[in-house]
Amino acid sequence: MNKYLLYLSHKRRMSGLAEKVLNSEKLTKEEKEELKNQIFNNLDKEYFKFGKIAEAEVYISFFSYMSNDFGYDVSAIEKSLRGLTKIKKCYFLVTEETKKAAEEFKVKSEIKEIEIIKVETENFDNLYEILERIIEKESTERDKIVIDNTLGFRMITGVFYRFCIEKAIKLIAWHSEYEEWNGKIKRKPATDRLFVIEFPQLKNLRVISYVNKSIDKFKFSEGANLLDTINNSARANLLRELEEIFKNIFEQDKEDFVERLDNFVNNRVFRDKEIEKIRENLKINFEKILSLKKGECDLVYNNIVLIYINKYFDDNLELKSLIFDRFLNSLNLKEHEKDDIKEMFETEEKSYLFYEAEIDDGKVLSIPERLFRTIEELKIEIPRRIEIRDRKIKLKKFEKDFEIDEKFTRNNVKNITNPEILRELVKRYELSKKEIEEIINKIKEKEGSELRNKEFSDLKNFIQKFNERIIERLKSAQIDVEKGMIVIDGDKLKRFKKIKIDDEYI
């Protein structure tokens, strides 16, 4: 019998078994075994979707255990744990009704650490707080934690989904096909489908992008307010502490700054392990500053202020120059020293700024650089799903690299901005009209540049040709996509709002 006839024969047998199941008919031992094999074969095909989630070590799920009356049912928890082979610890959220089943599962399970937590299913805040406590308690990196959102009432799945997005925890869920049979809605066997949100932080992409930008510019209170909107309270609180330390640093005395550092060092700790690690690194840097001798401390303080001014007022060059001059004139320096600092400040030749001095072989001068590198750790990582290097584009979702035309990757005489806009877009996933204007402004070195009709038309044409080329490349690799990679929000310049990467490519 050829492969096609074997396939048809198998399909008919499966159809007959499914019909028996839907009719609640008793299956023979052989039929149960065949159906069981088909269910697990189907699951094995779905497990490839786990990707890096397969490395997860901590599993969290609401517990609702399916019966196994017909010898074919597999609960969502069993489906997940069968594929997530590296799980070391499980947290099961239970009600009074499901607690006993969870305890029985715990006794039989090969997983040694299983914690059963009773929850109030109608209390949103209670559910959210329990999830927060679990994450704070876990020593495992967040990247190794997964929440299963298959089971539970709608409110529970809603809380789980929101929590994963706000805390950047990986989320999975199983779905099956259902069919109306003899007036009842029944689940069809061997139709399980796995859905994975590996990068939930992308759902808050716009907020995260602005948070990272505010940290870059040392506008910590702005970043904290944005973090509040996605319930990232630990990170927001640390940014507010930094705001208190650096606020108007160019107007405060060094003694005030040192006092604020001392308050930070002796302040409380956070429960969030990731944030506490960053806070501890900041504390180490601040303690180094506090332990410096007077001359060394003056040097470090002056450099910190210069870096702060350079970043904070980057959007207003006139104000930056004014405040910089005022601060520089307040220092007890010779004119040639001021000129040297001013030249370095304007040309940004160094990653940190300092006037000539040899203290401890330059180790003291590296303190500001290390400090601000630690502050950068507060930025939220945005997964790089698309990369452009030279004439290659890497689409991680499709696990493919393609060569693309030079005009898409290199600046050219006709329009030097479009390739740069493309490079920035794949880093941020979305660019507003204002952000595109900033890119144009930076390239043309002309403050107040804006997107004009001709540039907008050229950008649209650039995107259209780029989309055509990407679709062509994917189809040649037997990957069927419905849309281009870049979406333009607004057909005319007056209505234009943004460009973004389509979700199909992320």
Side-chain angles (χ1 to χ4, degrees):
M1 190 180 289
N2 65 35
K3 287 184 178 179
Y4 180 67
L5 291 176
L6 280 170
Y7 166 75
L8 286 179
S9 173
H10 172 75
K11 192 173 181 182
R12 287 192 203 101
R13 289 200 314 275
M14 277 310 303
S15 178
L17 287 174
E19 190 172 320
K20 275 191 169 187
V21 170
L22 293 170
N23 273 326
S24 302
E25 294 178 26
K26 191 173 182 180
L27 302 180
T28 66
K29 184 179 179 181
E30 290 76 18
E31 287 173 330
K32 284 182 181 180
E33 191 63 30
E34 185 171 358
L35 189 56
K36 180 182 175 183
N37 288 338
Q38 181 59 27
I39 287 167
F40 286 121
N41 286 339
N42 177 67
L43 289 176
D44 288 338
K45 290 175 184 175
E46 292 297 301
Y47 286 145
F48 83 93
K49 295 178 184 176
F50 276 133
K52 290 184 179 178
I53 290 181
E55 302 295 313
E57 296 177 359
V58 176
Y59 173 83
I60 303 168
S61 176
F62 184 78
F63 195 95
S64 177
Y65 200 65
M66 282 184 177
S67 64
N68 201 17
D69 297 337
F70 298 107
Y72 72 85
D73 279 342
V74 182
S75 74
I77 290 169
E78 287 176 312
K79 291 174 197 171
S80 299
L81 293 180
R82 185 174 175 272
L84 298 169
T85 57
K86 297 188 178 181
I87 296 295
K88 296 176 181 176
K89 187 168 185 178
C90 293
Y91 290 91
F92 293 139
L93 278 56
V94 303
T95 61
E96 189 61 47
E97 292 75 21
T98 62
K99 185 179 177 184
K100 185 179 178 183
E103 289 171 343
E104 289 172 356
F105 182 92
K106 179 178 179 179
V107 172
K108 295 176 184 177
S109 177
E110 294 180 1
I111 295 169
K112 293 180 180 179
E113 287 190 75
I114 294 180
E115 190 169 327
I116 297 169
I117 304 168
K118 192 175 174 184
V119 297
E120 302 170 34
T121 55
E122 300 304 316
N123 189 329
F124 179 100
D125 292 335
N126 174 252
L127 279 168
Y128 200 96
E129 286 170 11
I130 286 170
L131 292 172
E132 277 192 317
R133 286 201 295 271
I134 291 172
I135 301 304
E136 288 163 3
K137 176 182 176 182
E138 269 307 315
S139 57
T140 307
E141 295 294 323
R142 287 191 185 189
D143 199 46
K144 297 287 182 74
I145 300 172
V146 62
I147 290 181
D148 193 331
N149 204 27
T150 310
L151 303 171
F153 310 112
R154 181 171 291 183
M155 195 196 80
I156 291 173
T157 57
V159 173
F160 280 15
Y161 181 77
R162 179 181 166 187
F163 183 84
C164 285
I165 289 174
E166 291 169 353
K167 304 295 182 181
I169 304 294
K170 300 180 189 306
L171 185 77
I172 63 172
W174 290 96
H175 293 277
S176 302
E177 291 179 23
Y178 285 80
E179 192 170 309
E180 187 175 349
W181 201 267
N182 296 331
K184 293 183 179 178
I185 303 296
K186 294 191 175 184
R187 182 170 69 90
K188 291 177 70 175
T191 60
D192 301 297
R193 294 290 177 268
L194 176 65
F195 292 85
V196 174
I197 301 180
E198 189 174 351
F199 304 104
Q201 59 268 54
L202 292 179
K203 301 293 180 182
N204 279 322
L205 189 60
R206 199 77 189 141
V207 174
I208 290 171
S209 179
Y210 282 127
V211 168
N212 289 346
K213 191 180 285 189
S214 70
I215 292 170
D216 263 337
K217 295 181 181 296
F218 304 148
K219 297 185 178 181
F220 302 120
S221 60
E222 288 181 18
N225 292 337
L226 287 166
L227 287 167
D228 284 336
T229 67
I230 57 173
N231 289 318
N232 198 329
S233 56
R235 202 178 298 261
N237 288 338
L238 183 48
L239 284 181
R240 287 196 174 92
E241 286 200 78
L242 289 174
E243 175 70 17
E244 285 304 308
I245 291 170
F246 290 98
K247 188 177 181 181
N248 297 332
I249 188 174
F250 47 88
E251 292 180 346
Q252 60 178 292
D253 294 332
K254 185 197 74 179
E255 286 69 26
D256 292 333
F257 177 71
V258 168
E259 186 180 342
R260 293 180 190 191
L261 294 188
D262 190 59
N263 289 337
F264 179 94
V265 166
N266 295 299
N267 202 354
R268 61 182 174 76
V269 296
F270 293 111
R271 292 185 298 173
D272 187 296
K273 284 183 169 58
E274 180 189 358
I275 302 305
E276 181 52 34
K277 185 179 177 182
I278 298 171
R279 192 183 191 284
E280 188 60 33
N281 289 338
L282 285 169
K283 182 179 172 183
I284 290 167
N285 279 285
F286 291 158
E287 284 174 337
K288 283 180 181 175
I289 297 172
L290 292 172
S291 66
L292 293 172
K293 299 171 186 174
K294 186 179 185 304
E296 296 173 338
C297 189
D298 288 345
L299 179 63
V300 168
Y301 171 71
N302 292 341
N303 279 287
I304 288 172
V305 176
L306 291 174
I307 295 169
Y308 182 88
I309 293 170
N310 199 31
K311 294 281 190 179
Y312 191 89
F313 296 102
D314 194 47
D315 294 334
N316 191 328
L317 300 179
E318 191 176 330
L319 183 58
K320 177 161 79 169
S321 180
L322 180 68
I323 291 172
F324 171 77
D325 286 342
R326 192 169 68 189
F327 177 74
L328 198 59
N329 289 330
S330 71
L331 303 177
N332 186 23
L333 297 173
K334 296 174 183 177
E335 283 306 313
H336 77 273
E337 290 175 323
K338 291 181 183 179
D339 290 340
D340 289 343
I341 294 173
K342 194 163 188 177
E343 184 180 347
M344 282 189 286
F345 185 83
E346 289 172 349
T347 59
E348 295 187 65
E349 288 178 358
K350 298 186 179 295
S351 54
Y352 57 98
L353 306 159
F354 56 89
Y355 49 89
E356 190 175 348
E358 291 184 10
I359 299 175
D360 195 19
D361 296 325
K363 290 178 183 177
V364 169
L365 294 176
S366 68
I367 290 175
E369 186 179 34
R370 289 199 300 269
L371 169 62
F372 289 117
R373 195 185 302 144
T374 303
I375 289 174
E376 282 224 332
E377 292 174 15
L378 275 162
K379 287 160 58 171
I380 302 172
E381 183 182 358
I382 298 175
R384 294 278 165 257
R385 305 293 292 151
I386 303 167
E387 291 180 9
I388 293 179
R389 290 181 185 173
D390 298 324
R391 292 179 59 188
K392 288 263 188 180
I393 182 166
K394 185 172 187 176
L395 303 175
K396 293 189 178 179
K397 180 172 182 177
F398 305 112
E399 298 181 343
K400 291 288 179 184
D401 291 8
F402 301 105
E403 272 199 17
I404 51 177
D405 297 355
E406 189 175 16
K407 64 184 176 184
F408 297 125
T409 58
R410 293 188 181 178
N411 294 340
N412 53 66
V413 177
K414 186 179 178 183
N415 191 324
I416 64 171
T417 59
N418 289 339
E420 185 61 30
I421 289 169
L422 176 60
R423 280 192 286 271
E424 284 301 310
L425 179 63
V426 298
K427 290 178 189 173
R428 306 189 216 174
Y429 296 99
E430 188 175 301
L431 288 174
S432 67
K433 185 177 180 180
K434 183 180 178 183
E435 286 169 327
I436 290 172
E437 287 172 349
E438 286 174 358
I439 293 170
I440 293 170
N441 177 25
K442 187 176 180 181
I443 291 172
K444 295 186 175 179
E445 296 181 347
K446 181 183 175 184
E447 192 174 4
S449 289
E450 59 183 35
L451 191 61
R452 302 183 186 279
N453 271 309
K454 186 179 183 303
E455 287 170 323
F456 175 68
S457 298
D458 189 65
L459 177 61
K460 278 181 69 176
N461 186 47
F462 177 88
I463 289 170
Q464 182 182 343
K465 289 181 178 177
F466 178 79
N467 281 340
E468 287 170 359
R469 188 51 51 92
I470 290 297
I471 291 171
E472 179 189 304
R473 291 283 190 268
L474 286 169
K475 287 190 174 178
S476 68
Q478 309 300 313
I479 298 170
D480 192 29
V481 290
E482 294 182 3
K483 302 176 186 175
M485 193 178 100
I486 305 173
V487 179
I488 303 176
D489 186 355
D491 57 340
K492 293 184 179 178
L493 182 58
K494 285 184 179 179
R495 290 198 285 265
F496 175 60
K497 294 181 181 178
K498 63 186 176 184
I499 58 173
K500 66 176 185 176
I501 303 292
D502 190 88
D503 290 345
E504 194 173 357
Y505 290 78
I506 301 173

